[in-house]
């Protein structure tokens, strides 16, 4: 498993897509939900960058169940941050278990898995409890994924830096 992290617009998804493009059969696990016009535009921009041969599977929840049955050379999961947001907007119950199951599914996947996430802890302390909870949970999730990953990259200004 490869984990790629970085801030907003740091180039992490483009880097992940570049790594995935080296494989023949790629499955792209999309976690975003098109709940407003701005998110629809972001999703469309991501789709346009991907080769038409890639299979896209939308998984805003329960991605581990989908990954368990996948057959591909590479799986690109984009992204952990949106995935966590989906859960926090629904309920905080069982979040740790969902991410444990996701790590397990990714580690057991027969091909190469590439996971994108955001580094969210470098800014100011958020003003409300939900935002602070999100920041704290994302930081802990990123640590767990980094520990489980074989390689970890930090992207900044479009440049990937190998951390592990």
């Amino acid at each position: 498993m490869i984990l790629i992290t970085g801030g907003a617009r740091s180039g992490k998804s483009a880097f992940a897509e570049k790594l995935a493009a080296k494989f023949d059969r790629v499955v792209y696990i999309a976690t975003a939900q098109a709940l407003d016009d701005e998110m629809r535009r972001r999703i469309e921009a991501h789709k346009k960058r991907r080769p038409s041969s890639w299979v896209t599977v939308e998984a805003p929840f329960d991605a581990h169940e989908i990954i368990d049955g996948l057959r591909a050379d590479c799986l690109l999961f984009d992204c952990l941050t949106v995935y966590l947001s989906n859960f926090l907007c629904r309920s905080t119950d069982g979040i740790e278990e969902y991410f444990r199951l996701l790590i397990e599914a990714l580690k057991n996947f027969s091909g190469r898995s590439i996971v994108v996430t955001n580094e969210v802890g470098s800014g100011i302390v958020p003003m409300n409890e939900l935002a602070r909870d999100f920041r704290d949970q994302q930081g802990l999730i990123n640590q767990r994924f980094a520990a489980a990953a074989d390689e970890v990259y930090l992207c900044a200004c479009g440049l990937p830096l190998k951390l592990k």
Side-chain angles (χ1 to χ4, degrees):
M1 178 171 50
I2 297 173
L3 180 68
I4 300 169
T5 190
R9 299 289 183 243
S10 63
K12 58 194 176 296
S13 290
F15 178 60
E17 291 163 5
K18 181 179 175 183
L19 292 177
K22 297 175 185 175
F23 295 90
D24 291 328
R25 295 178 304 148
V26 178
V27 174
Y28 184 99
I29 304 288
T31 62
Q33 300 177 84
L35 301 176
D36 58 38
D37 289 338
E38 187 267 340
M39 187 54 84
R40 276 188 272 289
R41 285 191 299 275
R42 285 176 178 264
I43 290 169
E44 284 306 312
H46 272 253
K47 285 181 180 178
K48 287 178 183 175
R49 284 200 322 239
R50 296 193 296 263
S52 60
S53 61
W54 289 11
V55 174
T56 299
V57 177
E58 294 183 10
F61 301 99
D62 302 319
H64 63 280
E65 294 176 0
I66 294 166
I67 293 168
D68 282 340
L70 287 180
R71 300 286 178 255
D73 301 321
C74 180
L75 177 158
L76 198 167
F77 187 96
D78 197 353
C79 78
L80 290 177
T81 313
V82 172
Y83 196 60
L84 174 61
S85 294
N86 296 342
F87 283 99
L88 286 176
C89 289
R90 186 171 77 172
S91 170
T92 58
D93 295 337
I95 288 176
E96 285 187 31
E97 180 65 6
Y98 280 108
F99 282 90
R100 186 193 68 73
L101 290 169
L102 181 58
I103 289 172
E104 186 177 304
L106 290 164
K107 292 294 281 182
N108 291 332
F109 177 67
S110 61
R112 168 66 76 189
S113 58
I114 302 169
V115 179
V116 177
T117 191
N118 285 283
E119 179 53 51
V120 297
S122 298
I124 61 171
V125 175
M127 290 184 64
N128 67 68
E129 184 179 353
L130 177 60
R132 286 189 300 273
D133 185 39
F134 168 77
R135 179 209 50 201
D136 294 348
Q137 287 202 46
Q138 188 65 61
L140 294 171
I141 287 167
N142 287 349
Q143 288 182 49
R144 291 192 351 230
F145 274 78
D150 301 298
E151 297 177 35
V152 178
Y153 292 87
L154 171 66
C155 287
C157 303
L159 300 172
L161 174 65
K162 188 171 187 175
L163 301 177
K164 176 182 176 185

